[in-house]
Amino acid sequence: MAYFQSKPSSGRHFLQIPGPTNVPDRVLRALDNPTMDHRGPDFGLLGARILAKVQPVFGTEQPVIIFPASGTGAWEAALVNTLSPGDRVLMCETGWFAHLWEEMAGRLGITSELLGTDWRRGADVPGIEARLRADTAHAIKAVCVVHNETSTGATSRVDEVRRAMDAAGHPALLLVDTISSLGSIEFKHDAWGVDVTVSGSQKGLMLPPGLSFNAISQKALAAAETAKCARSFWDWRPMLASNATGYFPYTPATNMLYALDTALDMLNEEGLQNVYARHDRHAEATRRAVRAWGLEVQCDDPRHYSSALTAVRVPEGHSADGLRATILQKFNMSLGNGLGQLKDRVFRIGHLGDFNDLSLMGTLSGVEMGLRAAGVPHKPEGVQAAMDYLSGNT
């Protein structure tokens, strides 16, 4: 049974939301292996191998912890291991997911200061620096930034955030969400001075949902020794103790780890720099198509363009959700919806993960046909613009 299809349809479903992404056949075959004894010697070898292989994707030589959870779990783990109730954190509201992370902090008893944006760019680096300079008592214990805001298609410059924090001479931790960027957009946990990097399995890592990650600096590990937020399942300490020999303190998502092992092999075989270049190229082709249609990219700062997805604004008086429904019904393709203040105002094209030129051309063709079918004003030139770019740019 095709669970994602409400009616019989020939050909494959085009899943072009910004995650979960399409899972490669090779990864699906890895998932299909018999379940292993997670206390046996073979699992210890597997666990140790995966924990070492995942570090370069984060750009770190520090520990990476893997939880059987969604990315939301990794958010909670980052907060409760480093902070105490009543602590103050500075968050930049670059979009819907930054907003949700801030909401979670409040439920955990953590006080958030929110730097707002117009949801059309990444983190406000000058605003972060100014606020930290004003915090002479160092009441702010952490700065939280979403690297790639999935709701808007804007990527924050984490390296610039770290430089701003250093320029302010502020000791706050830097916590970064890479859920929709890891494995798609270059990220350097160590070089950029990130203290906790949060991520999930279902986007650039090409896996189903079900694994979440924390990459942890030594400064974050020290903070975990004095943090007072309640934690049990999310506690880093028993995880790190067990991970030292390749094991986990409770039952891990064994078959998902098989899949992760294979996905990491695929990234390494292509080469991470080649992976990032491929994503950059497909993102540029998509933006050229959007402009040729006469539509507007939601992110309006070229320095913050996302290489994982493109959010597209529909003209006033037209429904982005209506367009998406038409495309799904007529062409069996799913696009991402607008979230929060962007509800029904944008649609989102995912171009990340297991994706190539023909995948992109099929996606953009579906969008262009959908624009026509839904009566959305546009120029029928987007597909050709993308094709011209791809055919001359390898």
Side-chain angles (χ1 to χ4, degrees):
M1 176 181 178
Y3 289 99
F4 50 77
Q5 292 178 340
S6 56
K7 65 177 183 178
S9 180
S10 61
R12 77 170 179 88
H13 176 69
F14 267 65
L15 180 67
Q16 302 313 143
I17 62 176
T21 61
N22 297 290
V23 179
D25 287 346
R26 185 171 163 190
V27 173
L28 290 172
R29 298 294 77 77
L31 276 167
D32 199 30
N33 276 291
T35 301
M36 185 189 296
D37 172 11
H38 64 287
R39 301 294 180 216
D42 288 340
F43 185 86
L45 297 173
L46 172 70
R49 182 170 75 243
I50 290 170
L51 290 167
K53 281 166 59 174
V54 78
Q55 288 172 303
V57 183
F58 285 87
T60 188
E61 297 179 357
Q62 302 302 314
V64 178
I65 288 177
I66 304 173
F67 292 104
S70 69
T72 305
W75 277 353
E76 183 162 339
L79 295 172
V80 299
N81 279 283
T82 58
L83 299 167
S84 300
D87 277 353
R88 183 174 297 274
V89 299
L90 182 64
M91 291 186 164
C92 195
E93 190 186 14
T94 49
W96 181 246
F97 290 96
H99 168 72
L100 291 180
W101 201 5
E102 187 266 342
E103 278 193 349
M104 173 187 282
R107 290 195 294 271
L108 294 170
I110 297 163
T111 301
S112 297
E113 289 188 30
L114 203 59
L115 280 177
T117 74
D118 58 3
W119 288 33
R120 304 203 68 177
R121 64 202 73 250
D124 176 5
V125 175
I128 291 171
E129 181 174 345
R131 180 64 190 93
L132 293 179
R133 285 186 182 277
D135 181 32
T136 55
H138 296 164
I140 295 170
K141 302 303 181 185
V143 175
C144 300
V145 174
V146 174
H147 182 217
N148 186 71
E149 178 52 71
T150 324
S151 64
T152 66
T155 301
S156 293
R157 304 296 293 260
V158 175
D159 54 339
E160 295 180 5
V161 173
R162 167 44 68 189
R163 287 199 294 272
M165 294 173 68
D166 292 346
H170 202 287
L173 296 165
L174 176 56
L175 279 53
V176 179
D177 170 345
T178 66
I179 292 171
S180 65
S181 59
L182 191 77
S184 303
I185 302 170
E186 186 170 46
F187 186 79
K188 300 179 179 180
H189 175 92
D190 290 353
W192 293 348
V194 180
D195 292 301
V196 186
T197 298
V198 169
S199 203
S201 59
Q202 73 274 20
K203 297 181 188 278
L205 293 181
M206 305 178 290
L207 304 176
L211 296 180
S212 64
F213 305 84
N214 280 171
I216 308 164
S217 74
Q218 292 301 308
K219 183 178 175 180
L221 286 173
E225 294 303 315
T226 57
K228 298 294 191 294
C229 280
R231 52 194 143 134
S232 176
F233 181 86
W234 304 117
D235 197 334
W236 289 341
R237 292 167 294 188
M239 287 289 277
L240 290 168
S242 293
N243 285 175
T245 53
Y247 293 94
F248 291 73
Y250 41 72
T251 307
T254 308
N255 287 53
M256 283 289 288
L257 293 174
Y258 295 159
L260 176 60
D261 192 36
T262 297
L264 292 171
D265 284 344
M266 293 176 68
L267 292 173
N268 289 330
E269 288 162 11
E270 184 175 356
L272 283 173
Q273 292 305 315
N274 293 328
V275 171
Y276 303 144
R278 170 167 57 83
H279 283 79
D280 291 344
R281 182 167 170 270
H282 289 149
E284 176 60 24
T286 302
R287 290 190 294 269
R288 290 184 181 218
V290 173
R291 295 188 194 104
W293 287 323
L295 302 179
E296 189 178 356
V297 175
Q298 170 64 22
C299 178
D300 66 359
D301 185 340
R303 295 185 70 250
H304 294 171
Y305 283 156
S306 171
S307 291
L309 74 137
T310 301
V312 184
R313 296 169 71 94
V314 297
E316 290 293 332
H318 293 269
S319 167
D321 289 344
L323 171 64
R324 291 174 48 254
T326 295
I327 290 172
L328 178 61
Q329 191 274 326
K330 287 186 173 293
F331 308 117
N332 196 24
M333 181 167 73
S334 295
L335 298 172
N337 62 310
L339 299 167
Q341 64 181 254
L342 298 179
K343 180 177 174 57
D344 205 27
R345 296 175 61 191
V346 305
F347 63 93
R348 296 176 295 144
I349 303 170
H351 37 71
L352 71 163
D354 186 37
F355 201 72
N356 61 24
D357 287 7
L358 292 181
S359 303
L360 180 60
M361 292 312 303
T363 299
L364 297 177
S365 295
V367 174
E368 188 162 312
M369 291 188 292
L371 290 167
R372 178 182 298 181
V376 176
H378 70 289
K379 292 180 282 189
E381 300 167 5
V383 170
Q384 187 64 54
M387 194 183 316
D388 290 344
Y389 176 75
L390 292 177
S391 61
N393 184 314
T394 57

